[in-house]
Amino acid sequence: MPEPTTFTLACIVAGALLIAMTLGGSFIARLPLSAAMLYLGVGVAVSPVGLGLLKLDALKNAVLLERLTEVAVLVSLFTCGMKLEFRRHDGRWRIPVQLATVSMVLTVAAVAALGVYLLNLPLGAAVLLGAILAPTDPVLASDVQVADPGDRDRLRFGLTGEGGLNDGTAFPFVMLGLGLLGLHELGEGGWRWWAVDVLWAVAGGLALGWLLGTLVGRAILYLRMRHREALGSDEFIALGLIGLTYGLALLSHTYGFLAVFAAGLALRRIDEPHVRPQVAAPDPGETLSPAEQEASGAEAPAHMMRAVARFNSQLESFVEVAIVLAVGVLVATTRFRPEVLWFIPVLFLVVRPLAVYIGLLGTRVRGAQRNLMGWFGIRGIGSLYYLLYAINHHIERALAQQLLSITLAVVVASVVAHGVSVTPLMKRYEARKAGRRR
């Protein structure tokens, strides 16, 4: 018999892990660790340093890994958008916007300074490292995100919105780093970077995503509520809108991550009463099942949102398993450099808290909420995507190995440190919040 392939073994490991997580989910939820920590541990266990069942090389398999992380981030960004409530003059939106802009810029600048002066990186590589590590992760941060759009908690709202926005706002700095390395056209005096990579790509991505999310959502609701059409297959709405939005964003040279996040945000808004079309009077001769009646009646928007959100959550959990398993396997083939021993504490305990503190100036976030935002700067799949994106843009092999060592170490440390602390810290936070309401 032929030897089992890596893909075959990966399917077996992932399938067994998914079943085990389903059967023991309630028990695992009570433990002071996250699901990502378990996936990471299994990945290490089946890697060459463990059972030797799976082997991955980030440089040799960069194209495949980039596509996997890209899909994972897209699904999570769309899910983030659908979790949030967008209303005009909602002051809470200052929190994620300032975190995704001011704190983002400060983090990139701080990491770039560390890269130039302490890691001996050229300026372009240092900026690239800052852009890779600046965005927080929307995939691994589900435990600190809002559970539903009605959640008014500033901490959860801010972290969810930040994770949705800054995976897109980091892209200009990735392009700047590549440009400084001579791998991307910046234009004379940087005009092209400002005009195309910053202004057009950011604004265009947000506008395109919002337009498509609004049009697709309203079209489906109109057909369901006025003509009893387009019933069923709510899962296709999410996949179709993600694919359509991302493809058109890439075609128009705008940022697909921002576009997909905006599409999810716009789709969620169709559940608001003022955008719903009127329900058509039922045809006396028409026979609909109870499910079809709910999907085409006055509750059609809420029904569709529940179905899409449920599917998104399941899909997000699946891609999380695949990617974190891959991270665990990559640990075995990566040579970690000694500088990560001081770099990681500085990033988590100095750079992130200071960037958050400054970024939140002018907002109503204080005390425990600000401290927790400063701590829960979870790094993960988004950082891996940007690293792989840079590798596939042909950065030098030695530089790629150095960036890989630092990035993978930061991601693994984040999975462990934030995974251990999230349950006790969030329980204490919720207990204090409940005590203030009494």
Side-chain angles (χ1 to χ4, degrees), residues 380-403:
I381 297 173
S383 293
L384 288 176
Y385 168 75
Y386 282 126
L387 170 68
L388 294 162
Y389 181 88
I391 291 173
N392 287 324
H393 276 70
H394 310 297
I395 61 175
E396 294 181 1
R397 183 177 181 85
L399 175 59
Q401 290 174 333
Q402 186 174 5
L403 296 183

Side-chain angles (χ1 to χ4, degrees), residues 79-85 92 141-161 426 430:
T79 304
C80 277
M82 289 200 62
K83 289 179 179 178
L84 296 173
E85 186 178 56
R92 292 178 303 161
S142 58
D143 290 331
V144 295
Q145 293 180 353
V146 296
D148 61 81
D151 192 339
R152 306 290 297 176
D153 183 77
R154 290 190 184 92
L155 170 64
R156 294 183 180 275
F157 186 92
L159 290 173
T160 304
M426 292 307 294
E430 295 295 344

Side-chain angles (χ1 to χ4, degrees), residues 12 42 111 126 191 338 369:
I12 294 172
V42 172
V111 173
W191 74 266
Q369 288 184 332

Side-chain angles (χ1 to χ4, degrees), residues 192-263:
R192 188 189 184 281
W193 180 74
W194 279 107
V196 178
D197 296 329
V198 178
L199 298 177
W200 164 249
V202 171
L206 290 171
L208 176 65
W210 185 267
L211 176 64
L212 290 174
T214 301
L215 291 178
V216 170
R218 290 191 179 187
I220 292 172
L221 280 187
Y222 179 82
L223 290 172
R224 289 186 177 188
M225 299 175 71
R226 295 300 298 267
H227 300 287
R228 315 289 184 185
E229 300 289 345
L231 300 176
S233 300
D234 293 297
E235 298 83 0
F236 288 172
I237 298 172
L239 293 176
L241 187 53
I242 290 172
L244 177 65
T245 303
Y246 193 59
L248 290 178
L250 296 182
L251 193 63
S252 60
H253 302 287
T254 59
Y255 292 137
F257 285 176
L258 287 175
V260 168
F261 173 72

